[in-house]
mmCIF file of all heavy atoms in Angstrom:
data_model
loop_
_atom_site.group_PDB
_atom_site.id
_atom_site.type_symbol
_atom_site.label_atom_id
_atom_site.label_comp_id
_atom_site.label_asym_id
_atom_site.label_seq_id
_atom_site.Cartn_x
_atom_site.Cartn_y
_atom_site.Cartn_z
ATOM 1 N N MET U 1090 -12.523 -11.475 -6.655
ATOM 2 C CA MET U 1090 -11.646 -12.575 -7.034
ATOM 3 C C MET U 1090 -10.495 -12.063 -7.903
ATOM 4 O O MET U 1090 -10.597 -11.048 -8.577
ATOM 5 C CB MET U 1090 -12.418 -13.640 -7.823
ATOM 6 C CG MET U 1090 -13.466 -14.378 -7.006
ATOM 7 S SD MET U 1090 -12.719 -15.491 -5.796
ATOM 8 C CE MET U 1090 -12.094 -16.768 -6.887
ATOM 9 N N ASP U 1123 7.754 -11.337 11.579
ATOM 10 C CA ASP U 1123 7.123 -12.619 11.275
ATOM 11 C C ASP U 1123 6.539 -12.635 9.869
ATOM 12 O O ASP U 1123 6.739 -13.586 9.106
ATOM 13 C CB ASP U 1123 6.012 -12.911 12.288
ATOM 14 C CG ASP U 1123 6.496 -12.843 13.734
ATOM 15 O OD1 ASP U 1123 7.697 -13.051 13.953
ATOM 16 O OD2 ASP U 1123 5.671 -12.574 14.629
ATOM 17 N N LEU U 1188 7.712 7.464 11.833
ATOM 18 C CA LEU U 1188 7.249 7.904 10.515
ATOM 19 C C LEU U 1188 8.250 8.836 9.853
ATOM 20 O O LEU U 1188 8.651 8.636 8.699
ATOM 21 C CB LEU U 1188 5.894 8.606 10.655
ATOM 22 C CG LEU U 1188 5.218 9.014 9.344
ATOM 23 C CD1 LEU U 1188 4.810 7.789 8.549
ATOM 24 C CD2 LEU U 1188 4.009 9.893 9.614
ATOM 25 N N ARG U 1197 9.962 10.075 0.114
ATOM 26 C CA ARG U 1197 10.307 11.322 -0.572
ATOM 27 C C ARG U 1197 11.629 11.226 -1.338
ATOM 28 O O ARG U 1197 11.762 11.759 -2.437
ATOM 29 C CB ARG U 1197 10.332 12.469 0.440
ATOM 30 C CG ARG U 1197 8.933 12.761 0.959
ATOM 31 C CD ARG U 1197 8.855 13.913 1.910
ATOM 32 N NE ARG U 1197 7.458 14.208 2.234
ATOM 33 C CZ ARG U 1197 7.043 15.080 3.118
ATOM 34 N NH1 ARG U 1197 7.929 15.790 3.807
ATOM 35 N NH2 ARG U 1197 5.754 15.278 3.340
ATOM 36 N N GLY U 1200 10.974 9.333 -4.648
ATOM 37 C CA GLY U 1200 9.882 9.756 -5.512
ATOM 38 C C GLY U 1200 8.669 8.844 -5.476
ATOM 39 O O GLY U 1200 7.974 8.694 -6.485
ATOM 40 N N MET U 1297 -8.033 22.881 -0.918
ATOM 41 C CA MET U 1297 -9.004 21.991 -1.529
ATOM 42 C C MET U 1297 -9.647 22.554 -2.802
ATOM 43 O O MET U 1297 -9.784 21.824 -3.788
ATOM 44 C CB MET U 1297 -10.058 21.582 -0.506
ATOM 45 C CG MET U 1297 -9.567 20.555 0.506
ATOM 46 S SD MET U 1297 -9.145 18.933 -0.230
ATOM 47 C CE MET U 1297 -7.349 19.039 -0.346
ATOM 48 N N ASP U 1386 2.281 -7.424 21.045
ATOM 49 C CA ASP U 1386 1.760 -8.383 22.020
ATOM 50 C C ASP U 1386 1.719 -9.813 21.490
ATOM 51 O O ASP U 1386 1.702 -10.762 22.276
ATOM 52 C CB ASP U 1386 0.353 -7.962 22.473
ATOM 53 C CG ASP U 1386 -0.613 -7.804 21.315
ATOM 54 O OD1 ASP U 1386 -0.208 -7.218 20.281
ATOM 55 O OD2 ASP U 1386 -1.768 -8.243 21.436
ATOM 56 N N ARG U 1432 -5.921 -21.434 8.141
ATOM 57 C CA ARG U 1432 -6.190 -20.060 8.538
ATOM 58 C C ARG U 1432 -5.525 -19.778 9.868
ATOM 59 O O ARG U 1432 -5.476 -20.638 10.733
ATOM 60 C CB ARG U 1432 -7.698 -19.804 8.655
ATOM 61 C CG ARG U 1432 -8.457 -19.947 7.345
ATOM 62 C CD ARG U 1432 -9.879 -19.469 7.509
ATOM 63 N NE ARG U 1432 -10.600 -19.533 6.259
ATOM 64 C CZ ARG U 1432 -11.724 -18.864 6.012
ATOM 65 N NH1 ARG U 1432 -12.245 -18.102 6.966
ATOM 66 N NH2 ARG U 1432 -12.324 -18.965 4.854
#
Side-chain angles (χ1 to χ4, degrees):
M1090 293 289 288
D1123 306 335
L1188 185 67
R1197 292 183 174 174
M1297 285 295 100
D1386 56 317
R1432 296 189 177 199

